[in-house]
Amino acid sequence: DLAAFADIDPEHAPISHAIIKTLRQRLPDVRHVACFDTAFFHDIPEVAQIVPIPRQYREKGIRRYGYHGLSYDYLADTFQTVAGESARRGRVIYAHLGSGASMAATLDGKPIDMTMGLTPTSGLVMGSRTGDIDPSLAWILANEAGVSLDDYQQMINHESGLLAVSELSSDMYTLLQNEATNPQAALAVELFCYQARKAIGALATTIGGLDSLIFSGGMGEQAPEIRRRICDGLAFLGVSIDHNANERHDLLISAPGSQVGVHVIPTDESLSIARSVISMNSTTKDTP
């Protein structure tokens, strides 16, 4: 139900919903396919999807949905191509790190848990999104500072995260360029890497350890310093990287003796969408 989903994800779904309605009106004889970014996580274990609020609200569709699923679907397929099926079926954590950032843990090739939950605002701290924060913050700001729900929504999505901590930029490249002279920029970088390490540690407990760590997204693909700072704090999980390979953005950046394979795989969500559409058309040719 796209209309219902628009209420859950007011930052993204309404635009997509409006486009779909317009295209269906203008091209009524053309098959239309919606590729949901949440579909990858649809069948995760119930314990990982439940939001512990009264049932009457959960029955309205409130659950942890997860996002960046199109990216994770592509990364999982590509990881199997480069490392083999047994590697994909191992204990894998995928890190899609961009202005919007999330992670997902898979076991036996299936998603088990993820950092983003009900909306894309949740999980890791991001460029201008808060990530996970105390749920009572909205009530406190409403009562203490007169912040409306609309203003709160604007703040947690567009005025927070690395931008708010650094008071400089939401862009990690800019923060790295300024951290030596700007303590707030340095703190924002430290916060991001700290939360990333913490998330990897937490996700590893959901899949019984870690065999492979995959970096992707803007930062994951292009920021060796961020990869290094994240991995340097994961030695307890058996992670060790080859710093020269990391600087070169090699496909495999883990050191020869690392217990965990660390990879850098560029993502392609558009190709993931195209593959889904082709697959659907090939199996439902006679469906209107």
Side-chain angles (χ1 to χ4, degrees), residues 38-268:
T38 58
F40 185 78
F41 301 105
H42 185 269
D43 296 321
I44 61 170
E46 183 179 14
V47 69
Q49 65 176 260
I50 191 169
V51 176
I53 58 175
R55 180 186 295 273
Q56 67 193 80
Y57 303 117
R58 299 201 308 270
E59 289 178 345
K60 295 181 180 293
I62 303 298
R63 56 161 281 185
R64 297 185 70 242
Y65 285 97
Y67 293 84
H68 291 141
L70 294 167
S71 175
Y72 293 131
D73 186 59
Y74 174 85
L75 293 173
D77 285 347
T78 303
F79 182 48
Q80 178 171 319
T81 299
V82 301
E85 182 180 359
S86 61
R88 174 178 176 167
R89 295 173 71 89
R91 301 169 297 182
V92 185
I93 292 178
Y94 297 91
H96 178 111
L97 307 180
S99 58
S102 73
M103 296 184 184
T106 67
L107 181 65
D108 197 25
K110 300 176 181 178
I112 300 299
D113 207 340
M114 63 281 170
T115 55
M116 279 184 176
L118 176 64
T119 75
T121 313
S122 57
L124 302 169
V125 64
M126 295 170 245
S128 62
R129 301 178 201 161
T130 59
D132 288 341
I133 52 176
D134 192 309
S136 291
L137 180 60
W139 181 86
I140 292 172
L141 291 180
N143 283 274
E144 299 296 327
V147 176
S148 69
L149 287 178
D150 287 343
D151 288 343
Y152 181 78
Q153 183 73 7
Q154 171 70 18
M155 180 195 75
I156 63 173
N157 280 284
H158 303 290
E159 302 169 2
S160 299
L162 301 181
L163 174 63
V165 174
S166 69
E167 298 183 317
L168 174 65
S169 176
S170 62
D171 177 63
M172 181 59 78
Y173 178 80
T174 301
L175 299 180
L176 287 170
Q177 293 297 305
N178 286 273
E179 66 173 337
T181 57
N182 186 324
Q184 293 306 114
L187 178 59
V189 176
E190 181 183 5
L191 175 63
F192 182 83
C193 296
Y194 170 80
Q195 288 202 1
R197 291 192 300 269
K198 186 165 69 169
I200 291 169
L203 287 173
T205 68
T206 70
I207 52 177
L210 184 61
D211 298 315
S212 301
L213 174 62
I214 316 298
F215 285 102
S216 194
M219 281 184 273
E221 297 169 23
Q222 303 171 22
E225 179 65 13
I226 296 302
R227 294 193 299 258
R228 181 191 67 77
R229 294 191 195 187
I230 292 172
C231 289
D232 282 354
L234 299 175
F236 73 100
L237 283 175
V239 174
S240 176
I241 64 170
D242 180 320
H243 294 292
N244 291 326
N246 182 47
E247 289 294 327
R248 293 192 303 264
H249 306 289
D250 285 358
L251 177 64
L252 180 66
I253 64 171
S254 46
S258 179
Q259 298 175 36
V260 174
V262 184
H263 299 260
V264 179
I265 301 178
T267 192
D268 192 335

Side-chain angles (χ1 to χ4, degrees), residues 20-32:
I20 290 170
K21 287 179 65 178
T22 299
L23 290 175
R24 291 182 71 178
Q25 290 170 357
R26 297 188 178 185
L27 301 169
D29 298 324
V30 175
R31 177 180 290 119
H32 299 266

